[in-house]
Amino acid sequence: MSEQVHEPRMQSMCEGPQGDPEVFRSILARVGDKWSMMLIGMLQEGPRRFTELKAMTQGISSRMLTQTLRQLERDGLVKREMFAEIPPRVEYSVTDLGRSLIPAVLAIAEWASAHTNEIAANREDYDAAVE
Amino acid sequence: MSEQVHEPRMQSMCEGPQGDPEVFRSILARVGDKWSMMLIGMLQEGPRRFTELKAMTQGISSRMLTQTLRQLERDGLVKREMFAEIPPRVEYSVTDLGRSLIPAVLAIAEWASAHTNEIAANREDYDAAVE
DNA sequence: TTTCATTAGTTACTGGTGGTAACCTAGATA
DNA sequence: TATCTAGGTTACCACCAGTAACTAATGAAA
């Protein structure tokens, strides 16, 4: 069972043809986009319906919600289940793959949370210096 | 020295007014953007000049490189040093703050690297199913 | 029987931004 | 005189994220 050795130096992002670098990049982009990780976070505690998610995700539009969920579904991070009822019911939930991403994103979130003020201050200084 | 307790559930991204949520979001966005983390990665091993970075970062334009470096500098993740020489010399390096971000990003990179193929496969399946 | 409400979206439109190509400044070199 | 280099800037365009408005199908209310 030779453990596969990942060597994810940052440069793998532009260099290494280990897996498809385009796919690799698009994953990073997904993590960074405005809604994806928020939605994953919301689904963490159980399945949710479209309208629930829309209400929880303050500020998102239907279009963006649909779009983001579709992408997450395409990547296999989220599962979509439709029930043939009236009115229609659709439930979204995180997959195991999606769940496995959470700790890593949480690490970023933690860093961001810990340094938000510092960065805000840096920006003020910079903007003041440049005028 | 009461340690500050971070509680960075994902929802902090939309809910908590701990630090500025907009700043928080913008940090996530920075991490996810096309060039920022690649550049931080490249500067990990030491200072680099503009043209070096441009050559290393295959595919980036001068404009995008300038822009990305400026943003990183504004956030305090990267330091810019100009030397009054002819021809001009400018050196970019990571700051301590920038360096502190690396492990978290590396965790994401590792996850991405480990699941690139799985996700690529998911996408193919999805696209095939939708036609 | 005409209206309203609900769910899970879709459509038409717009503004911001990522990207390209061309240009700039200043001195050194040939 | 022309060209090269470093580190950018400027003008420009195309695309896509985001918004507001609309939709299908049904049941309930008046």
Side-chain angles (χ1 to χ4, degrees), chain B:
Chain B
M1 293 194 193
S2 66
E3 280 247 352
Q4 199 185 335
V5 179
H6 309 306
E7 193 195 333
R9 316 172 119 278
M10 294 284 195
Q11 299 174 348
S12 57
M13 290 179 208
C14 62
E15 282 177 5
Q18 21 132 271
D20 186 338
E22 280 184 52
V23 174
F24 183 89
R25 265 214 191 155
S26 71
I27 295 172
L28 269 287
R30 176 90 359 111
V31 169
D33 92 11
K34 198 169 176 184
W35 307 110
S36 293
M37 290 308 112
M38 244 166 78
L39 289 172
I40 297 259
M42 288 175 170
L43 294 175
Q44 220 180 336
E45 287 148 32
R48 297 283 183 191
R49 302 177 61 174
F50 186 90
T51 319
E52 282 182 285
L53 288 172
K54 192 175 172 191
M56 294 169 77
T57 313
Q58 196 222 26
I60 199 171
S61 66
S62 296
R63 183 190 189 288
M64 279 299 106
L65 183 53
T66 306
Q67 206 169 90
T68 308
L69 287 169
R70 290 272 201 282
Q71 287 170 343
L72 292 171
E73 193 196 353
R74 187 167 104 105
D75 288 353
L77 301 174
V78 156
K79 195 179 70 176
R80 179 178 188 272
E81 258 181 311
M82 249 196 70
F83 300 90
E85 300 175 0
I86 300 291
R89 185 161 62 95
V90 178
E91 274 189 1
Y92 293 94
S93 51
V94 210
T95 62
D96 288 341
L97 182 60
R99 208 179 303 279
S100 75
L101 174 56
I102 291 178
V105 175
L106 228 44
I108 297 274
E110 202 154 340
W111 186 92
S113 170
H115 295 94
T116 296
N117 293 328
E118 189 177 352
I119 288 178
N122 285 340
R123 288 181 187 178
E124 273 184 51
D125 292 352
Y126 183 93
D127 294 346
V130 179
E131 276 121 345

Side-chain angles (χ1 to χ4, degrees), chain A residues 5 7 13 18 32-33 39-40 58 60 65 71 74 77 112 115 121 124:
Chain A
V5 179
E7 194 195 332
M13 290 180 207
Q18 20 131 271
D33 92 11
L39 289 172
I40 297 258
Q58 197 222 26
I60 198 172
L65 183 53
Q71 287 169 341
R74 187 168 105 104
L77 301 175
H115 295 93
E124 272 184 53

